[in-house]
Amino acid sequence: MTGSTAATFTADDYRARMGRAARAAAEAGLAGLLVAPGPDLVWLTGYTPPAVTERLTLLVLAAGQDPVLVVPALEAPDAHRAAGASALTLRDWTDGKDPYAATVALLDASGRFGISDNAWALHLLALQHALPGSSYASLTEALPMLRAVKDAAELDLMAAAGAAADATFEEIRDVPFAGRRESEVAADLDRLLRGHGHEQVDFTIVASGPNGANPHHEAGERVIARGDMIVLDFGGLRDGYGSDTSRTVHVGEPTDEERRVHDLVREAQEAGFRAVRPGAACQDVDRAARRVIADAGYGEYFIHRTGHGIGVTTHEPPYMIEGEERPLVPGMCFSVEPGIYLPGRFGVRIEDIVTVTEDGGRRLNTTTRELVIVE
């Protein structure tokens, strides 16, 4: 991931992101941010450590203070090569020395800090021990919108990832389905995503027949048969940015009920998309899609939120769910993916990634949302 994003973004881009994050932390009443290895660190600095280890790596951001990346000495050469390295100060520590001393010296002893959700408990507890007057909040709690609004370059990468997922669907619809295991079709999806430029595949759901009633079914050994409805949900990272799309296909001709349920989900997905506009609340997208399904009598069978944010991870804030009143802002990217799941029978889900524009929304997935017949 680092190599791909490093080729796209410059040190100035990372400098701007770190500055924006530090200011957002101050506005939220935080003394600063502590960013451990993971998607936030990649987005802020372009740096991914060569391996996940117990050794402390931590980016320290605070308004009015130069960014500092604390790294193990043996990994410092890799950190120096990161695209954002020239926009920060590197401070290394050597095995056998206290790994927290360099970090503690940078922190307000009584401050409240935002810290990466995926930071090791080992490191957080050590910092609390060294600074008993300090306190911490997860970044998702403290700054949930940190990465939510994408700039023009990020939107281009999101669109390219969506196009790659679309190309994958166009090819997968032509492979044989009947008589093959779900796991075999899932392997085809993985191969096609990688063939269209994905460096990471996060999921390849192939849920056939009654398995389609489980939204997060893991592709297994069930043999696909004629008459099966099949939910396909797949995505991952291309050039460091996410794709995620769902289409439902049918092996042979569907029944009238299967077609009716699919048409209903397609109508709900369209309603959710049309609710996207600047200033609308996230929950408005969920309400619009859910209303269509509930009014048709299937409300109890739509069992998940309508959407989730996507960017350098395939699931992140904001979430399209009842109770989320956060307003939509141009540049936000998220899924719109209503579904109906009939236990023991079949399921249907249709999903596009959508970005908010100045006057509405734009789909980043453009393959047909009609029910596709496969063989």
Side-chain angles (χ1 to χ4, degrees), residues 93-117:
W93 61 273
T94 306
D95 281 357
K97 304 292 186 182
D98 180 0
Y100 304 102
T103 304
V104 166
L106 301 169
L107 305 182
D108 178 347
S110 60
R112 180 169 177 78
F113 298 90
I115 190 166
S116 300
D117 297 11

Side-chain angles (χ1 to χ4, degrees), residues 162-171 173 234 245-247 350-352 363-370 372:
D166 283 356
T168 294
F169 177 70
E170 295 293 357
E171 292 191 46
R173 59 189 288 181
F234 49 94
T245 189
S246 300
R247 293 292 186 263
I350 301 172
E351 174 185 15
D352 294 324
R363 298 183 193 267
L364 300 186
N365 296 106
T366 59
T367 56
T368 182
R369 285 168 288 282
E370 300 287 341
V372 170

Side-chain angles (χ1 to χ4, degrees), residues 304-365:
H304 55 72
R305 64 198 175 201
T306 293
H308 58 83
I310 185 170
V312 295
T313 59
T314 48
H315 281 214
E316 62 187 42
Y319 299 103
M320 306 302 113
I321 190 170
E322 181 66 30
E324 178 52 85
E325 298 179 349
R326 192 179 309 277
L328 300 181
V329 176
M332 283 183 175
C333 296
F334 48 84
S335 65
V336 178
E337 51 176 308
I340 292 176
Y341 308 93
L342 303 179
R345 302 183 62 205
F346 65 89
V348 176
R349 182 165 64 257
I350 301 172
E351 174 185 15
D352 294 324
I353 299 303
V354 172
T355 184
V356 184
T357 64
E358 294 296 332
D359 57 0
R362 176 169 68 98
R363 298 183 193 267
L364 300 186
N365 296 106

Side-chain angles (χ1 to χ4, degrees), residues 34 36-37 52-58 72 93 95 97-101 103-104 115-131 136:
L34 306 178
V52 177
T53 75
E54 74 285 358
R55 291 185 173 92
L56 178 72
T57 297
L58 205 63
W93 61 273
D95 281 357
K97 304 292 186 182
D98 180 0
Y100 304 102
T103 304
V104 166
I115 190 166
S116 300
D117 297 11
N118 56 341
W120 283 43
L122 171 73
H123 303 317
L124 176 57
L125 292 170
L127 290 171
Q128 288 179 318
H129 178 74
L131 297 173
Y136 303 85

Side-chain angles (χ1 to χ4, degrees), residues 18-27 30-33 60-67:
M18 287 187 283
R20 190 164 82 240
R23 290 191 296 274
E27 291 167 3
L30 299 171
L33 301 180
V60 180
L61 296 177
Q65 178 177 306
D66 290 338

